[in-house]
Amino acid sequence: FMKKLIIANWKMHMSLDDAFEFCTKLTEQQYNNQLIIAPPIPYLAYLSDKFKSLEFCGQNVSQFAGQGSCTGEYSSLLLKLSKINYSIVGHSERRNLFQESSELIRQKAENCLKAQVTPIICIGEDLATRKNNNYKNFLLKQLEESLPEVGSLIVAYEPIWAIGTGIIPRKEELIEIFEVLNYYLKQSQVANNISLVYGGSVNLDNIEKILNLQNIDGVMVGKSSLDYQMLVQMLSYK
Ligand code: 13P
């Protein structure tokens, strides 16, 4: 039995008190899978200090490395100094709302690796691209442009049309895409230790089916991860 990765992306939700209570309950629970929580950024260092048995994650990092005069930003080094070992980079909400390019995301991912923070690099096509038969080439290009030269990392495939919509790709489509991504990553010299996860409308009805597919090491969950009972159930699936 392989532990699966469940990444809870809380985005810009919850109060600090709610997050604290949620994490307190989580520490009282036994579960099978590996949990990484990406809480709102202002709570990150506090939660990671209070809950040493839980693993936390940034939702973004600066493209600027190290420390310096850079008001409002936080680097991968500052995450590491707060004992945070992971960060999401290039979520589609960053790509779309903040016009982040794949080149910029690669820079961020490289900075993460330099600080020994594992980047969770997101890729995913929009609906118009999906309808075009070429979408697999689009994905591979996005992946190639976003990946750092070498390093251990996580790639999250999150089709934009599946985020927050309740719609997920069909099983055969997921199998095919993850095979393509896995093949690409295996034969490229880019990274050595890579996990592949799926994100977009993961819920209690579909998680088991997704986790059972080949080449999928876990899921990244938005809305359903805000519900304590649902998250705990997801953590117990085999
Ligand atoms: P939902 O699970 O709410 O569709 O969000 C997915 C996502 O963006 C995770 O990063």
Side-chain angles (χ1 to χ4, degrees):
F1 160 70
M2 282 281 288
K3 272 190 188 223
K4 298 288 184 171
L5 207 52
I6 312 279
I7 304 165
N9 180 5
W10 286 353
K11 306 189 182 182
M12 208 165 70
H13 295 288
M14 279 208 241
S15 68
L16 178 59
D17 285 349
D18 290 345
F20 185 87
E21 196 189 321
F22 197 118
C23 291
T24 304
K25 285 195 279 178
L26 277 173
T27 56
E28 294 158 358
Q29 199 81 31
Q30 296 276 324
Y31 40 79
N32 301 319
N33 293 312
Q34 186 192 346
L35 171 65
I36 300 177
I37 305 169
I41 298 306
Y43 316 158
L44 197 50
Y46 176 75
L47 293 175
S48 99
D49 189 50
K50 292 288 173 194
F51 299 99
K52 302 238 165 31
S53 65
L54 298 175
E55 189 81 64
F56 293 96
C57 172
Q59 296 180 5
N60 176 40
V61 288
S62 177
Q63 70 261 40
F64 299 103
Q67 304 190 35
S69 303
C70 203
T71 304
E73 290 288 291
Y74 60 94
S75 64
S76 48
L77 176 66
L78 296 196
L79 286 182
K80 192 67 185 184
L81 294 175
S82 317
K83 306 193 175 59
I84 307 296
N85 298 314
Y86 297 87
S87 185
I88 300 169
V89 292
H91 191 282
S92 61
E93 287 150 20
R94 303 280 331 163
R95 290 181 188 261
N96 292 337
L97 298 171
F98 303 91
Q99 282 81 46
E100 292 194 359
S101 66
S102 291
E103 288 71 25
L104 181 83
I105 287 152
R106 180 172 56 202
Q107 179 66 57
K108 291 182 173 194
E110 272 168 7
N111 291 344
C112 282
L113 292 171
K114 258 187 249 159
Q116 290 174 309
V117 169
T118 301
I120 302 170
I121 301 167
C122 305
I123 57 165
E125 79 289 357
D126 63 14
L127 194 56
T129 311
R130 178 64 168 213
K131 286 185 172 154
N132 172 337
N133 278 334
N134 238 359
Y135 80 93
K136 273 174 262 166
N137 289 339
F138 170 88
L139 280 177
L140 288 180
K141 185 161 178 284
Q142 203 182 37
L143 181 58
E144 188 183 3
E145 289 172 354
S146 310
L147 275 186
E149 304 264 299
V150 279
S152 148
L153 49 91
I154 298 170
V155 171
Y157 170 56
E158 301 206 314
I160 295 169
W161 52 272
I163 296 176
T165 59
I167 304 165
I168 66 164
R170 284 181 288 122
K171 184 179 167 189
E172 311 77 64
E173 294 175 309
L174 280 177
I175 292 173
E176 194 189 5
I177 292 165
F178 276 86
E179 201 171 272
V180 168
L181 296 177
N182 188 50
Y183 178 78
Y184 172 83
L185 291 168
K186 282 256 163 69
Q187 55 88 47
S188 73
Q189 300 296 308
V190 221
N192 37 44
N193 178 17
I194 305 185
S195 300
L196 270 174
V197 303
Y198 168 80
S201 293
V202 175
N203 59 37
L204 287 182
D205 295 330
N206 58 32
I207 188 170
E208 210 167 359
K209 187 178 80 182
I210 297 168
L211 291 182
N212 282 328
L213 297 177
Q214 248 193 352
N215 301 318
I216 297 191
D217 304 304
V219 286
M220 182 140 95
V221 192
K223 191 158 175 271
S224 299
S225 78
L226 295 166
D227 183 303
Y228 175 75
Q229 292 301 338
M230 281 198 212
L231 184 62
V232 164
Q233 225 170 306
M234 290 184 171
L235 287 166
S236 59
Y237 278 127
K238 291 193 184 184

